[in-house]
Amino acid sequence: MSDSVSIQVPGRLHLGFLDIPGKDSSRFGSIGLPLDGISTRLEVSKAAETSVHGDESARIFAHLTALRPHLDLADHHQVTVFETIPAHAGLGSGTQLALAVSAALRTLHDLPFHVRDDATFLGRGARSGIGIAAFEEGGLILDAGKTKDDLTPTVVSRIPFPSEWRIILILDGHAEGIHGDAEIKAFRTLPPFPAESSASICRHALMEIMPAVIEKDIATFGNAVTSIQQKLGDYFSPAQGGRFTSRAVEETLLRLGECGAVGIGQSSWGPTGFAFAESQAAAERIVAAAALEDTGTTIRIVAARNQGALITRRTEPVEFKLEYRKALSGKARQ
C-alpha cells in the first residue's frame, strides 16, 4: 500500500455544443479537447485529521467530506495542492478537481475506479461530458449528451489530435465566466436554440472537424470551429454581453485571426479564448506579428493532450486507462 498518491489532470477546451435542449430536444452534445500544460496537480496521503494545503482548499475539503462515506473510508487525509487549473475561466477546473480527488482516494485505498459514478455523485457532467472524458483519455472528444440525470454524457467519438498543431490560449485574469446559479439562470432565460443552428453545427462537426483532424487539414478544421463558435456566441450573447465574455480577449483574437490564426473562439463561458496554428513556430510567429502587449491579456501556446490523467503511486507513473483500473481492483470494473 502506497503512503501517498500524486495525480495530474488536464484542463480542457470546450469547442462548442452540438445542441442545447429545449422543447424538441432532450440532449446537449459537445466538442472538446484536453490540453497539455494547463493542469491540476495534487498529492493525497492518509493523516490523523483532514487537511488541505494550497489553492482550492474549500472545494477539495468538501469533496473529501463527501467521498469518505461514499467510499466507506475510515481514514482522514491530507491533500497538498501544487498547481490548479484557473477557476471559472472556461477550462474545466471544477470537474478535474473533483475527479482528481476521487481518483487519488481510490488509488490510495486500492479501490476499483468508477469515474463516471463519482462524477455524477460530485455533481459534475451536468451538460458536457468533455471534462470527464478528458480525465479518462485524451484526443478530440465528441459527446452526445445524456437523457437521464443519473448518467454522464455519452462519448461517441475520440480522435487523436495532431501532435504538431498548437493552441494559442488567451487568458484574462480580470474576468470570470458565468458559473453556478448564474449559469443555471442563463440557460433558463435564453430562447430556444434554433434547430437549424444545431443541424449546421452537427454537420460542421461530422463532415469537417472530425475528418479534418484525421487528415491534418487545419484550414478546414479552423473554419468549422470558427463557424460553430460564431453561432454559439450569438446565441449566448444576451447572457454574456456579446460573442465573448471579455472584450480584451475578443480584441486579442481579432488580431490573431488577422495574423493567420484559425479556429477562433471562446471555451465554455470564457473568459478564455483560443485559436489554432499548424505548428509551434507558426504559433510563435502569429503571436509576435499580432503585437499583443497592450491588450491586457496573457498568451500561452500549448499542445493538445492525447492522454488522460496521470496517476503516480510509489515511483511508477501510470496513464489512466482501463488496464490500470483492472490492475488496481484485481478484476474488471463492475
Side-chain angles (χ1 to χ4, degrees):
M1 181 67 69
S2 173
D3 289 332
S4 66
V5 171
S6 297
I7 184 166
Q8 180 177 5
V9 292
R12 61 95 179 109
L13 289 183
H14 194 276
L15 301 180
F17 285 117
L18 302 178
D19 197 4
I20 298 172
K23 181 178 179 181
D24 299 319
S25 172
S26 61
R27 329 174 62 118
F28 283 88
S30 301
I31 313 171
L33 185 66
L35 302 169
D36 253 343
I38 303 288
S39 64
T40 288
R41 293 188 300 117
L42 54 84
E43 181 180 78
V44 178
S45 58
K46 295 180 183 179
E49 60 182 20
T50 301
S51 63
V52 182
H53 307 277
D55 293 340
E56 297 284 10
S57 58
R59 286 209 283 185
I60 293 172
F61 193 91
H63 293 326
L64 290 171
T65 302
L67 286 165
R68 278 186 70 210
H70 178 67
L71 301 179
D72 195 23
L73 301 177
D75 297 286
H76 287 273
H77 302 88
Q78 174 179 294
V79 178
T80 302
V81 182
F82 302 103
E83 178 184 11
T84 56
I85 299 163
H88 309 312
L91 296 172
S93 63
T95 294
Q96 297 307 315
L97 191 69
L99 294 180
V101 174
S102 68
L105 288 176
R106 285 183 176 273
T107 303
L108 184 65
H109 293 277
D110 206 18
L111 299 174
F113 275 66
H114 295 283
V115 174
R116 294 179 177 272
D117 291 345
D118 288 351
T120 301
F121 174 74
L122 295 172
R124 311 312 306 180
R127 298 177 184 86
S128 169
I130 302 303
I132 300 168
F135 179 93
E136 294 177 315
E137 195 174 351
L140 181 77
I141 301 162
L142 278 80
D143 78 66
K146 61 181 183 178
T147 56
K148 296 180 180 178
D149 288 341
D150 60 347
L151 300 176
T152 56
T154 301
V155 174
V156 294
S157 177
R158 191 191 299 271
I159 304 171
F161 201 77
S163 60
E164 65 272 21
W165 289 7
R166 290 293 180 267
I167 303 135
I168 305 171
L169 294 178
I170 305 93
L171 307 170
D172 183 351
H174 302 289
E176 285 190 350
I178 297 174
H179 60 277
D181 291 340
E183 181 182 17
I184 294 171
K185 181 180 179 181
F187 276 109
R188 287 176 177 170
T189 57
L190 285 167
F193 192 63
E196 57 271 21
S197 293
S198 177
S200 175
I201 289 171
C202 288
R203 189 178 192 284
H204 283 307
L206 179 62
M207 301 304 294
E208 295 173 334
I209 288 178
M210 294 171 69
V213 168
I214 296 170
E215 297 163 4
K216 298 186 178 182
D217 177 358
I218 195 168
T220 298
F221 170 83
N223 287 337
V225 169
T226 299
S227 295
I228 290 172
Q229 282 285 314
Q230 288 174 345
K231 287 181 174 62
L232 292 170
D234 289 342
Y235 174 74
F236 287 115
S237 178
Q240 62 187 19
R243 274 187 178 174
F244 297 88
T245 296
S246 164
R247 301 285 77 76
V249 168
E250 183 174 17
E251 178 186 344
T252 303
L253 286 169
L254 177 62
R255 292 195 199 179
L256 290 170
E258 291 171 345
C259 294
V262 301
I264 306 295
Q266 172 181 284
S267 183
S268 190
W269 289 104
T272 302
F274 59 80
F276 291 84
E278 62 184 352
S279 66
Q280 179 73 25
E284 292 174 357
R285 183 173 61 251
I286 289 168
V287 170
L292 304 173
E293 291 79 5
D294 63 340
T295 62
T297 58
T298 300
I299 306 298
R300 291 193 61 179
I301 299 172
V302 301
R305 184 173 176 84
N306 285 314
Q307 300 172 333
L310 185 67
I311 302 173
T312 304
R313 188 174 185 178
R314 297 187 178 93
T315 60
E316 182 182 1
V318 184
E319 292 174 17
F320 183 84
K321 293 184 177 179
L322 178 60
E323 291 76 15
Y324 185 50
R325 293 201 294 268
K326 290 179 180 178
L328 288 175
S329 64
K331 59 183 179 179
R333 176 179 170 180
Q334 299 296 317

